Amino acid sequence: AMLAVIGTSFRALSWGAFDRQHAQSVGLNLPLLDFAVTTLITLVMVLSFELVGAVLVVAMMVIPTLFARTFASTVLGVLV
């Protein structure tokens, strides 16, 4: 489900995350976008806590992000 949401709204998500002025100028509803992203992250984390435990969930959320931000130079590079 998460991959489907990211795949269908990649452009809106990247504008909302990295260029909020442009996103607002093209008519994106930023509060709704923020709410949707927060809701999806919350759902994934709650389900993950139930399945694998707190320590692994924190590691799964933090470590890939750190590596991606360190080695990627574009938004697409961070997401891939």
Side-chain angles (χ1 to χ4, degrees), residues 2 39-62 64:
M2 285 291 291
T39 302
L40 289 171
I41 290 171
T42 303
L43 287 173
V44 167
M45 290 192 66
V46 167
L47 293 173
S48 298
F49 275 120
E50 304 253 338
L51 294 174
V52 295
V55 174
L56 288 177
V57 170
V58 171
M60 286 189 310
M61 295 295 286
V62 172

Side-chain angles (χ1 to χ4, degrees), residues 12-48:
L13 289 172
S14 62
W15 284 343
F18 297 103
D19 194 0
R20 294 185 70 82
Q21 289 178 345
H22 179 70
Q24 208 166 23
S25 71
V26 295
L28 285 178
N29 187 353
L30 292 178
L32 180 63
L33 184 66
D34 291 340
F35 177 75
V37 169
T38 303
T39 302
L40 289 171
I41 290 171
T42 303
L43 287 173
V44 167
M45 290 192 66
V46 167
L47 293 173
S48 298

